[in-house]
Coordinates of all heavy atoms in Angstrom, one line a residue:
M229 N -32.4 -6.0 16.5 CA -32.7 -5.4 15.3 C -31.6 -4.3 15.0 O -31.2 -3.6 15.8 CB -34.1 -4.8 15.2 CG -34.4 -4.2 14.0 SD -36.2 -3.9 14.0 CE -36.5 -3.7 12.3
L230 N -31.2 -4.2 13.8 CA -30.1 -3.2 13.3 C -30.8 -1.9 13.0 O -31.9 -1.9 12.4 CB -29.4 -3.8 12.1 CG -28.6 -5.1 12.4 CD1 -28.0 -5.6 11.1 CD2 -27.6 -4.8 13.4
Q231 N -30.1 -0.9 13.4 CA -30.6 0.5 13.0 C -30.0 1.0 11.7 O -28.8 0.7 11.4 CB -30.1 1.4 14.1 CG -30.5 2.9 13.9 CD -30.0 3.8 15.0 OE1 -29.7 3.4 16.1 NE2 -29.9 5.0 14.6
I232 N -30.9 1.6 10.9 CA -30.4 2.1 9.6 C -30.2 3.5 9.8 O -31.0 4.3 10.3 CB -31.5 1.9 8.5 CG1 -31.7 0.4 8.3 CG2 -31.1 2.5 7.2 CD1 -32.9 0.0 7.4
D233 N -29.0 4.0 9.4 CA -28.6 5.4 9.5 C -28.6 6.0 8.1 O -28.1 5.5 7.2 CB -27.2 5.6 10.1 CG -27.2 5.0 11.6 OD1 -28.2 5.3 12.3 OD2 -26.2 4.4 12.0
Q234 N -29.0 7.3 8.1 CA -29.0 8.0 6.8 C -28.2 9.2 6.9 O -28.0 9.8 8.0 CB -30.4 8.4 6.3 CG -31.3 7.2 6.1 CD -32.7 7.6 5.7 OE1 -33.2 8.8 6.0 NE2 -33.5 6.7 5.1
G235 N -27.6 9.7 5.7 CA -26.9 11.0 5.7 C -25.4 10.8 6.2 O -24.8 11.9 6.5
I236 N -24.9 9.6 6.3 CA -23.5 9.4 6.8 C -22.6 9.2 5.6 O -22.9 8.3 4.9 CB -23.4 8.3 7.8 CG1 -24.3 8.7 9.0 CG2 -21.9 8.1 8.2 CD1 -24.4 7.6 10.1
D237 N -21.7 10.1 5.4 CA -20.8 9.9 4.2 C -19.8 8.8 4.4 O -19.3 8.6 5.5 CB -20.0 11.2 3.9 CG -20.9 12.4 3.5 OD1 -21.9 12.1 2.9 OD2 -20.6 13.6 3.9
M238 N -19.5 8.1 3.3 CA -18.5 7.0 3.3 C -17.1 7.7 3.3 O -16.9 8.6 2.4 CB -18.7 6.1 2.2 CG -17.9 4.9 2.3 SD -18.5 3.4 1.3 CE -18.0 4.0 -0.4
P239 N -16.2 7.2 4.0 CA -14.8 7.8 3.9 C -14.2 7.6 2.5 O -14.5 6.6 1.8 CB -14.0 6.9 4.8 CG -15.0 6.3 5.8 CD -16.2 6.2 5.0
E240 N -13.4 8.5 2.1 CA -12.9 8.6 0.8 C -12.0 7.4 0.4 O -12.1 6.7 -0.6 CB -12.0 9.9 0.5 CG -12.9 11.1 0.4 CD -13.8 11.1 -0.8 OE1 -13.3 10.7 -1.9 OE2 -14.9 11.5 -0.7
T241 N -11.0 7.2 1.3 CA -10.0 6.1 1.0 C -9.9 5.2 2.3 O -10.2 5.6 3.3 CB -8.7 6.6 0.7 OG1 -8.1 7.3 1.8 CG2 -8.6 7.3 -0.6
R242 N -9.6 4.0 2.0 CA -9.4 3.0 3.1 C -8.1 2.3 2.9 O -8.0 1.1 2.6 CB -10.6 2.0 3.1 CG -10.7 1.1 4.3 CD -11.6 0.1 4.1 NE -10.9 -0.9 3.3 CZ -11.1 -2.2 3.3 NH1 -12.0 -2.7 4.1 NH2 -10.4 -3.0 2.6
T243 N -7.0 3.1 3.1 CA -5.7 2.5 2.8 C -4.8 2.7 4.0 O -4.9 3.6 4.7 CB -5.1 3.1 1.5 OG1 -3.9 2.5 1.3 CG2 -4.9 4.6 1.7
K244 N -4.0 1.7 4.2 CA -3.1 1.6 5.3 C -1.7 2.2 4.8 O -0.9 2.7 5.6 CB -2.9 0.1 5.7 CG -2.0 -0.1 6.9 CD -2.1 -1.5 7.2 CE -1.3 -1.9 8.5 NZ -1.4 -3.2 8.8
Y245 N -1.5 2.2 3.5 CA -0.2 2.6 2.9 C -0.4 3.7 2.0 O -1.4 3.7 1.2 CB 0.5 1.3 2.2 CG 0.6 0.1 3.1 CD1 -0.2 -1.0 2.9 CD2 1.5 0.1 4.1 CE1 -0.1 -2.1 3.8 CE2 1.7 -1.0 4.9 CZ 0.8 -2.1 4.8 OH 0.9 -3.2 5.6
P246 N 0.6 4.6 1.8 CA 0.4 5.8 1.0 C 0.8 5.6 -0.5 O 1.5 6.4 -1.1 CB 1.3 6.9 1.6 CG 2.4 6.0 2.2 CD 1.8 4.7 2.6
F247 N 0.4 4.5 -1.1 CA 0.8 4.2 -2.5 C 0.5 5.2 -3.5 O 1.2 5.6 -4.4 CB 0.2 2.8 -2.9 CG 0.6 1.6 -2.1 CD1 -0.4 0.7 -1.7 CD2 1.9 1.4 -1.7 CE1 -0.1 -0.4 -0.9 CE2 2.2 0.4 -0.9 CZ 1.2 -0.5 -0.5
E248 N -0.7 5.8 -3.3 CA -1.2 6.8 -4.3 C -0.3 8.0 -4.3 O -0.1 8.7 -5.3 CB -2.7 7.3 -3.9 CG -3.2 8.3 -4.9 CD -3.5 7.6 -6.3 OE1 -4.0 6.5 -6.4 OE2 -3.3 8.3 -7.3
D249 N 0.4 8.4 -3.1 CA 1.3 9.5 -3.1 C 2.7 9.3 -3.5 O 3.5 10.2 -3.5 CB 1.3 10.0 -1.6 CG -0.1 10.4 -1.1 OD1 -0.9 10.9 -2.0 OD2 -0.4 10.3 0.1
M250 N 3.0 8.0 -3.8 CA 4.4 7.7 -4.1 C 4.7 8.0 -5.5 O 3.9 7.7 -6.5 CB 4.7 6.2 -3.8 CG 4.6 5.8 -2.4 SD 4.8 4.1 -2.1 CE 6.7 4.0 -2.3
E251 N 5.9 8.6 -5.7 CA 6.4 8.8 -7.1 C 7.4 7.7 -7.4 O 8.0 7.1 -6.5 CB 7.0 10.2 -7.2 CG 6.0 11.3 -7.0 CD 6.5 12.7 -7.2 OE1 7.5 12.8 -7.9 OE2 5.9 13.6 -6.7
Q252 N 7.8 7.6 -8.6 CA 8.8 6.6 -9.0 C 10.1 6.8 -8.3 O 10.6 8.0 -8.2 CB 9.0 6.6 -10.6 CG 9.8 5.5 -11.0 CD 9.8 5.4 -12.6 OE1 9.2 6.3 -13.2 NE2 10.6 4.5 -13.1
G253 N 10.6 5.8 -7.7 CA 11.8 5.9 -6.9 C 11.6 6.1 -5.4 O 12.5 6.0 -4.6
D254 N 10.4 6.5 -5.0 CA 10.1 6.6 -3.6 C 10.0 5.2 -2.9 O 9.8 4.3 -3.5 CB 8.7 7.3 -3.4 CG 8.7 8.9 -3.7 OD1 9.8 9.3 -4.0 OD2 7.6 9.4 -3.7
S255 N 10.2 5.2 -1.6 CA 10.3 4.0 -0.9 C 9.8 4.1 0.5 O 9.7 5.2 1.1 CB 11.7 3.3 -0.9 OG 12.6 4.1 -0.2
I256 N 9.4 3.0 1.1 CA 8.9 2.9 2.5 C 9.8 1.8 3.2 O 9.9 0.7 2.7 CB 7.5 2.5 2.6 CG1 6.6 3.4 1.8 CG2 7.0 2.4 4.1 CD1 5.1 3.0 1.6
L257 N 10.3 2.2 4.4 CA 11.1 1.2 5.1 C 10.2 0.5 6.2 O 9.5 1.2 6.9 CB 12.3 1.9 5.9 CG 13.1 1.1 6.7 CD1 13.9 0.0 5.9 CD2 14.1 1.9 7.6
F258 N 10.3 -0.8 6.3 CA 9.6 -1.6 7.2 C 10.6 -2.4 8.1 O 11.5 -3.0 7.6 CB 8.7 -2.6 6.6 CG 7.6 -2.0 5.7 CD1 7.8 -1.8 4.3 CD2 6.4 -1.6 6.3 CE1 6.8 -1.2 3.5 CE2 5.4 -1.0 5.5 CZ 5.6 -0.8 4.2
K259 N 10.4 -2.3 9.4 CA 11.3 -2.9 10.3 C 10.9 -4.4 10.5 O 11.7 -5.3 10.8 CB 11.2 -2.3 11.7 CG 11.6 -0.9 11.8 CD 13.1 -0.7 11.7 CE 13.5 0.8 11.8 NZ 14.8 1.1 11.6
D260 N 9.6 -4.7 10.3 CA 9.1 -6.0 10.5 C 8.8 -6.7 9.2 O 8.2 -6.2 8.2 CB 7.7 -5.9 11.3 CG 7.1 -7.2 11.5 OD1 7.6 -8.0 12.2 OD2 5.9 -7.4 11.1
K261 N 9.4 -7.9 8.9 CA 9.2 -8.6 7.7 C 7.8 -8.9 7.4 O 7.3 -8.8 6.2 CB 10.0 -10.0 7.7 CG 9.9 -10.7 6.4 CD 10.7 -12.0 6.5 CE 10.6 -12.7 5.1 NZ 11.4 -13.9 5.1
R262 N 7.0 -9.3 8.4 CA 5.6 -9.6 8.1 C 4.8 -8.4 7.6 O 4.0 -8.5 6.7 CB 4.9 -10.0 9.4 CG 3.7 -10.7 9.3 CD 3.2 -11.3 10.7 NE 2.2 -12.2 10.4 CZ 1.6 -12.9 11.3 NH1 2.0 -12.8 12.6 NH2 0.6 -13.8 11.1
Q263 N 5.1 -7.2 8.2 CA 4.4 -6.0 7.7 C 4.9 -5.6 6.2 O 4.1 -5.2 5.4 CB 4.7 -4.8 8.6 CG 3.9 -3.6 8.2 CD 4.1 -2.4 9.2 OE1 5.1 -2.4 9.9 NE2 3.2 -1.5 9.1
A264 N 6.2 -5.9 6.0 CA 6.7 -5.6 4.7 C 6.1 -6.5 3.6 O 5.7 -6.0 2.5 CB 8.2 -5.8 4.6
E265 N 5.8 -7.8 3.9 CA 5.1 -8.7 3.0 C 3.7 -8.3 2.8 O 3.2 -8.4 1.7 CB 5.3 -10.1 3.6 CG 6.6 -10.8 3.4 CD 7.1 -10.9 1.9 OE1 6.1 -11.0 1.0 OE2 8.2 -10.9 1.6
S266 N 3.1 -7.8 3.9 CA 1.7 -7.4 3.8 C 1.6 -6.2 2.9 O 0.7 -6.1 2.1 CB 1.2 -7.0 5.2 OG -0.1 -6.4 5.1
A267 N 2.6 -5.2 3.0 CA 2.6 -4.1 2.1 C 2.8 -4.4 0.7 O 2.3 -3.9 -0.2 CB 3.7 -3.1 2.6
R268 N 3.7 -5.5 0.4 CA 4.0 -5.9 -0.9 C 2.8 -6.4 -1.6 O 2.5 -6.1 -2.7 CB 5.1 -7.0 -0.8 CG 5.5 -7.5 -2.2 CD 6.5 -8.7 -2.2 NE 5.9 -9.8 -1.6 CZ 5.0 -10.7 -2.2 NH1 4.8 -10.5 -3.5 NH2 4.6 -11.7 -1.7
V269 N 2.0 -7.3 -0.8 CA 0.8 -7.8 -1.4 C -0.2 -6.7 -1.6 O -0.9 -6.6 -2.7 CB 0.2 -8.9 -0.5 CG1 -1.2 -9.3 -0.9 CG2 1.1 -10.1 -0.4
A270 N -0.3 -5.7 -0.7 CA -1.2 -4.6 -0.8 C -0.8 -3.8 -2.1 O -1.7 -3.3 -2.8 CB -1.2 -3.7 0.4
S271 N 0.5 -3.6 -2.3 CA 0.9 -2.8 -3.4 C 0.5 -3.5 -4.8 O 0.2 -2.7 -5.7 CB 2.4 -2.6 -3.4 OG 3.2 -3.7 -3.6
I272 N 0.7 -4.8 -4.8 CA 0.3 -5.5 -6.0 C -1.2 -5.3 -6.3 O -1.6 -5.0 -7.5 CB 0.6 -7.0 -5.9 CG1 2.1 -7.1 -5.9 CG2 0.0 -7.8 -7.0 CD1 2.6 -8.6 -5.5
R273 N -2.0 -5.4 -5.3 CA -3.5 -5.2 -5.4 C -3.8 -3.7 -5.9 O -4.6 -3.5 -6.7 CB -4.2 -5.6 -4.2 CG -4.2 -7.0 -3.9 CD -5.0 -7.4 -2.7 NE -5.0 -8.9 -2.5 CZ -5.2 -9.5 -1.4 NH1 -5.5 -8.8 -0.3 NH2 -5.2 -10.8 -1.2
F274 N -3.1 -2.8 -5.2 CA -3.4 -1.4 -5.5 C -3.1 -1.1 -7.0 O -3.9 -0.5 -7.7 CB -2.5 -0.5 -4.6 CG -2.5 0.9 -5.0 CD1 -3.5 1.8 -4.7 CD2 -1.4 1.4 -5.8 CE1 -3.5 3.1 -5.1 CE2 -1.4 2.7 -6.2 CZ -2.5 3.6 -5.8
A275 N -1.9 -1.7 -7.4 CA -1.4 -1.4 -8.8 C -2.4 -2.1 -9.8 O -2.8 -1.4 -10.8 CB -0.1 -1.9 -9.1
K276 N -2.9 -3.2 -9.5 CA -3.7 -3.9 -10.4 C -5.1 -3.2 -10.6 O -5.6 -3.1 -11.7 CB -4.0 -5.3 -9.8 CG -4.9 -6.2 -10.7 CD -5.2 -7.5 -10.1 CE -4.3 -8.6 -10.7 NZ -4.6 -10.0 -10.3
V277 N -5.6 -2.6 -9.5 CA -6.9 -1.9 -9.5 C -6.8 -0.5 -10.0 O -7.6 0.0 -10.8 CB -7.5 -2.0 -8.1 CG1 -8.8 -1.2 -8.1 CG2 -7.9 -3.5 -7.7
H278 N -5.8 0.2 -9.4 CA -5.7 1.7 -9.6 C -4.7 2.1 -10.6 O -4.9 3.2 -11.3 CB -5.5 2.4 -8.3 CG -6.5 2.1 -7.3 ND1 -7.8 2.7 -7.3 CD2 -6.5 1.3 -6.2 CE1 -8.5 2.2 -6.3 NE2 -7.8 1.4 -5.6
R279 N -3.5 1.5 -10.7 CA -2.5 2.0 -11.5 C -1.8 0.8 -12.2 O -0.7 0.4 -11.8 CB -1.4 2.8 -10.7 CG -2.0 3.9 -10.0 CD -2.2 5.1 -10.8 NE -2.5 6.3 -10.0 CZ -3.1 7.3 -10.5 NH1 -3.6 7.3 -11.7 NH2 -3.4 8.3 -9.7
P280 N -2.4 0.2 -13.2 CA -1.9 -0.9 -13.9 C -0.4 -0.8 -14.4 O 0.3 -1.8 -14.5 CB -2.8 -1.3 -15.0 CG -4.1 -0.6 -14.6 CD -3.7 0.6 -13.9
D281 N 0.0 0.4 -14.7 CA 1.3 0.7 -15.2 C 2.4 0.8 -14.1 O 3.6 0.9 -14.4 CB 1.3 1.9 -16.2 CG 0.8 3.1 -15.5 OD1 -0.1 3.0 -14.6 OD2 1.3 4.2 -15.8
W282 N 2.0 0.8 -12.8 CA 3.0 0.9 -11.8 C 3.4 -0.4 -11.3 O 2.7 -1.4 -11.3 CB 2.3 1.6 -10.6 CG 2.1 3.1 -10.7 CD1 2.1 3.8 -11.8 CD2 1.7 4.0 -9.6 NE1 1.8 5.1 -11.5 CE2 1.6 5.3 -10.3 CE3 1.5 3.8 -8.3 CZ2 1.3 6.3 -9.5 CZ3 1.2 5.0 -7.6 CH2 1.1 6.2 -8.1
T283 N 4.7 -0.5 -10.8 CA 5.2 -1.7 -10.2 C 5.9 -1.3 -8.9 O 6.4 -0.2 -8.7 CB 6.2 -2.4 -11.1 OG1 7.3 -1.5 -11.5 CG2 5.6 -2.9 -12.4
F284 N 6.0 -2.3 -8.1 CA 6.7 -2.1 -6.7 C 7.6 -3.2 -6.5 O 7.4 -4.4 -7.0 CB 5.6 -2.1 -5.6 CG 4.7 -0.9 -5.6 CD1 3.5 -1.0 -6.4 CD2 4.9 0.2 -4.9 CE1 2.6 0.1 -6.4 CE2 4.1 1.3 -4.9 CZ 3.0 1.2 -5.6
S285 N 8.7 -3.0 -5.8 CA 9.8 -4.0 -5.5 C 10.1 -3.9 -4.1 O 10.3 -2.8 -3.4 CB 11.0 -3.6 -6.3 OG 10.7 -3.7 -7.7
L286 N 10.2 -5.1 -3.4 CA 10.5 -5.3 -2.0 C 11.9 -5.8 -1.9 O 12.2 -6.9 -2.5 CB 9.5 -6.1 -1.3 CG 9.8 -6.3 0.2 CD1 9.6 -5.0 1.0 CD2 8.9 -7.4 0.7
R287 N 12.9 -5.2 -1.2 CA 14.2 -5.7 -1.0 C 14.6 -5.7 0.5 O 14.2 -4.7 1.2 CB 15.2 -4.9 -1.8 CG 15.0 -4.9 -3.3 CD 15.3 -6.2 -3.9 NE 15.3 -6.2 -5.3 CZ 14.2 -6.6 -6.1 NH1 13.1 -6.9 -5.4 NH2 14.2 -6.5 -7.4
K288 N 15.4 -6.6 0.9 CA 16.0 -6.6 2.3 C 17.1 -5.6 2.3 O 17.9 -5.6 1.4 CB 16.5 -8.0 2.7 CG 17.0 -8.0 4.1 CD 17.1 -9.4 4.6 CE 17.7 -9.5 6.0 NZ 17.4 -8.5 6.9
V289 N 17.1 -4.7 3.3 CA 18.2 -3.7 3.4 C 18.6 -3.6 4.8 O 18.0 -4.3 5.7 CB 17.7 -2.3 2.9 CG1 17.3 -2.3 1.4 CG2 16.5 -1.9 3.7
D290 N 19.7 -2.9 5.1 CA 20.1 -2.7 6.5 C 19.0 -2.1 7.3 O 18.5 -1.0 6.9 CB 21.4 -1.8 6.5 CG 22.6 -2.5 6.0 OD1 22.6 -3.8 6.0 OD2 23.6 -1.8 5.7
G291 N 18.6 -2.6 8.4 CA 17.6 -2.1 9.2 C 16.2 -2.6 8.9 O 15.3 -2.1 9.5
G292 N 16.0 -3.4 7.8 CA 14.7 -4.0 7.6 C 14.4 -4.3 6.2 O 15.3 -4.9 5.5
W293 N 13.3 -4.0 5.7 CA 12.9 -4.2 4.3 C 12.4 -2.9 3.7 O 11.7 -2.2 4.4 CB 11.8 -5.3 4.2 CG 12.3 -6.7 4.6 CD1 12.7 -7.7 3.7 CD2 12.5 -7.2 5.9 NE1 13.1 -8.8 4.4 CE2 13.0 -8.5 5.7 CE3 12.3 -6.7 7.2 CZ2 13.4 -9.3 6.9 CZ3 12.7 -7.5 8.3 CH2 13.2 -8.8 8.1
R294 N 12.6 -2.7 2.4 CA 12.2 -1.5 1.8 C 11.4 -1.8 0.6 O 11.8 -2.7 -0.3 CB 13.4 -0.7 1.4 CG 13.1 0.8 1.1 CD 14.3 1.6 1.0 NE 14.8 2.1 2.3 CZ 14.3 3.0 3.0 NH1 13.3 3.8 2.6 NH2 14.9 3.4 4.2
L295 N 10.2 -1.1 0.4 CA 9.3 -1.3 -0.7 C 9.5 0.0 -1.6 O 9.2 1.1 -1.1 CB 7.9 -1.5 -0.2 CG 6.9 -1.7 -1.3 CD1 7.0 -3.0 -1.9 CD2 5.5 -1.5 -0.7
W296 N 9.9 -0.2 -2.8 CA 10.0 0.9 -3.8 C 8.9 0.9 -4.7 O 8.5 -0.2 -5.2 CB 11.3 0.7 -4.6 CG 12.6 1.2 -3.8 CD1 13.1 2.5 -3.9 CD2 13.5 0.4 -3.2 NE1 14.3 2.5 -3.2 CE2 14.6 1.2 -2.7 CE3 13.5 -0.9 -2.7 CZ2 15.6 0.8 -1.9 CZ3 14.6 -1.4 -2.0 CH2 15.6 -0.5 -1.7
R297 N 8.5 2.1 -5.1 CA 7.7 2.2 -6.4 C 8.8 2.3 -7.5 O 9.4 3.2 -7.7 CB 6.8 3.5 -6.4 CG 6.0 3.5 -7.7 CD 5.1 4.6 -7.9 NE 5.0 4.8 -9.3 CZ 4.8 5.9 -9.9 NH1 4.6 7.0 -9.2 NH2 4.6 5.9 -11.2
S298 N 8.8 1.2 -8.3 CA 9.9 1.1 -9.2 C 9.5 1.6 -10.6 O 10.3 1.9 -11.5 CB 10.5 -0.4 -9.3 OG 9.4 -1.3 -9.4
A299 N 8.2 1.6 -10.9 CA 7.8 2.2 -12.2 C 6.4 2.8 -12.0 O 5.7 2.6 -11.1 CB 7.7 1.1 -13.3

């Protein structure tokens, strides 16, 4: 049987990436392509739900992949 707990606050955010803190022109460098693609998809979902006027762009750069907040 499962126990029901009361009085436990739910965490404010559940994010792996600091999209909310990014300003236009800020970027994040990823060494791993798989993680970069994961962040790209997460940024699209974040923008769609929280900031519809924001866009993000992922580009291959020396040393890995970089995700920019482009607008």
Side-chain angles (χ1 to χ4, degrees):
M229 183 165 197
L230 297 175
Q231 177 180 337
I232 298 172
D233 298 319
Q234 295 179 342
I236 298 176
D237 295 330
M238 189 162 76
E240 288 296 318
T241 59
R242 191 191 78 146
T243 183
K244 185 175 183 178
Y245 306 106
F247 300 134
E248 185 69 41
D249 299 330
M250 293 178 78
E251 295 187 21
Q252 190 169 358
D254 288 354
S255 65
I256 303 169
L257 178 65
F258 297 93
K259 303 283 184 185
D260 181 60
K261 182 179 181 181
R262 193 174 198 179
Q263 186 179 20
E265 286 294 334
S266 174
R268 183 186 66 80
V269 171
S271 71
I272 292 168
R273 289 182 180 160
F274 170 82
K276 184 181 253 187
V277 172
H278 301 285
R279 304 284 188 201
D281 56 327
W282 286 16
T283 58
F284 292 86
S285 300
L286 180 68
R287 300 286 186 268
K288 184 166 177 30
V289 296
D290 289 339
W293 290 263
R294 193 168 282 278
L295 180 72
W296 279 271
R297 180 181 155 209
S298 46

